[in-house]
Each structure stands twice: as structure tokens, then as C-alpha cells.
């Protein structure tokens, strides 16, 4: 049996003024498709949460404590399965220093991503196929306003 690649990441969201925004990235290898900040396990990661935390920090410069990773969503794909944890940005009192006009400041961008930006969940860009079910479940969850 072949082991599938597993990737984990974080969906950082902000609820403010009857609006909910999600942090998404467009990689340098993507012409139009956006996705969550995530990456594959490495040998030093003991848990999926560690992978998600490490990858999110590598791609955004934002450190998030593991206890802030809440609801978990998972999508199986043919070649790579993806797990995403929700994080409420209101729990991060330092979050605003990373953004200007919803864009992650360039000094925090990693070389893998062209753009990292907050999008209103009612006005999202084209999304990567391997993450579209995740996105749908996350939006449904956030719209229930139970967070």
C-alpha cells in the first residue's frame, strides 16, 4: 500500500461588522487559484497540529499557539489529503501588525506565495480543486455563527 501525502494548515478567520474573512494564499506556481496556507508533514512533526502550526508560520510569519487551533476539517484526494484547522484571529492581539488593507505585508511573505490576503467569504477568488470541499465545509461552519 502506498502512503498518501498529507498536508495540514490553518484557516485564519476574522469576524467583524457582519463580515467574515478568511486568509488565503496564491502560490507563485498558480495562475489564478487560491487556497489555504498549508504544507506537508516533515520528519520533525509529531502531530498534524504541529505541521499546521509550522507551515502557517513559515508561510505568513504568524506564530499561533496550538491550543488556538480549534475545529478540524479534512478532505481526501487522490494523491494528497488535506487537513485544515480553524483559528479565530480575535484571539491574536498582535494580528493587525501583519496586514495592510487585508494583504499580508510583503516582509512576511514566503517565497512560495505570490499573495496572501483576507477575503470576505461572500466574495472569494477561484479556489484550488483539492481544497474546494474544505472551503465549502468551513464556510458552512462559519456562517452558522457558532464561533
Amino acid at each position: 500500500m502506498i502512503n498518501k501525502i498529507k498536508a495540514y494548515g490553518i484557516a485564519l478567520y476574522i469576524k467583524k461588522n457582519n463580515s467574515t474573512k478568511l486568509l488565503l494564499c496564491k502560490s507563485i506556481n498558480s495562475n489564478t487559484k487560491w487556497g489555504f496556507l498549508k504544507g506537508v508533514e516533515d520528519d520533525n512533526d509529531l502531530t498534524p497540529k504541529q505541521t499546521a502550526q509550522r507551515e502557517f508560520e513559515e508561510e505568513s510569519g504568524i506564530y499561533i499557539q496550538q491550543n488556538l487551533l480549534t475545529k478540524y476539517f479534512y478532505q481526501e484526494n487522490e494523491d494528497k489529503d488535506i487537513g485544515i484547522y480553524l483559528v479565530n484571529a480575535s484571539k491574536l492581539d498582535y494580528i493587525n501588525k501583519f496586514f495592510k488593507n487585508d494583504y499580508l505585508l510583503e516582509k512576511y511573505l514566503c517565497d512560495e506565495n505570490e499573495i496572501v490576503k483576507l477575503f470576505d467569504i461572500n466574495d472569494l477568488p477561484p479556489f484550488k480543486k483539492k481544497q474546494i470541499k474544505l472551503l465549502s465545509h468551513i464556510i458552512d461552519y462559519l456562517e452558522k455563527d457558532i464561533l
Side-chain angles (χ1 to χ4, degrees):
M1 184 176 160
I2 298 172
N3 284 339
K4 262 202 265 186
I5 297 170
K6 294 187 189 299
Y8 301 98
I10 291 174
L12 183 78
Y13 70 93
I14 296 174
K15 286 191 168 211
K16 187 166 57 174
N17 302 331
N18 296 326
S19 170
T20 302
K21 293 183 178 183
L22 277 173
L23 187 63
L24 304 175
C25 65
K26 186 166 90 62
S27 85
I28 58 170
N29 298 322
S30 176
N31 291 329
T32 59
K33 304 291 184 181
W34 290 72
F36 295 108
L37 285 78
K38 56 149 188 56
V40 297
E41 301 170 296
D42 75 16
D43 294 339
N44 296 320
D45 295 332
L46 300 175
T47 67
K49 278 188 174 183
Q50 281 185 323
T51 303
Q53 178 189 38
R54 176 184 53 76
E55 284 291 337
F56 189 82
E57 185 174 12
E58 285 176 8
E59 294 192 21
S60 69
I62 303 169
Y63 174 78
I64 296 178
Q65 294 175 288
Q66 283 188 33
N67 65 322
L68 297 178
L69 279 65
T70 58
K71 181 83 174 143
Y72 180 69
F73 298 87
Y74 193 74
Q75 179 174 330
E76 289 187 9
N77 296 299
E78 191 173 319
D79 59 341
K80 178 170 39 173
D81 295 342
I82 300 170
I84 299 292
Y85 293 91
L86 279 182
V87 171
N88 186 339
S90 71
K91 308 279 185 194
L92 309 171
D93 57 0
Y94 52 85
I95 195 68
N96 290 331
K97 79 173 194 171
F98 291 92
F99 295 93
K100 183 173 182 178
N101 299 326
D102 289 338
Y103 286 88
L104 184 71
L105 294 172
E106 192 172 338
K107 67 181 178 179
Y108 298 113
L109 274 178
C110 73
D111 56 6
E112 294 174 18
N113 292 322
E114 182 181 341
I115 305 169
V116 176
K117 181 179 186 267
L118 289 159
F119 285 91
D120 189 291
I121 61 172
N122 295 311
D123 189 22
L124 293 169
F127 220 73
K128 294 181 178 182
K129 188 169 90 173
K130 290 181 183 176
Q131 299 177 44
I132 198 75
K133 289 179 190 170
L134 282 169
L135 177 65
S136 177
H137 293 305
I138 288 169
I139 289 172
D140 288 347
Y141 187 80
L142 291 173
E143 285 179 336
K144 290 179 183 176
D145 203 30
I146 56 177
L147 297 172

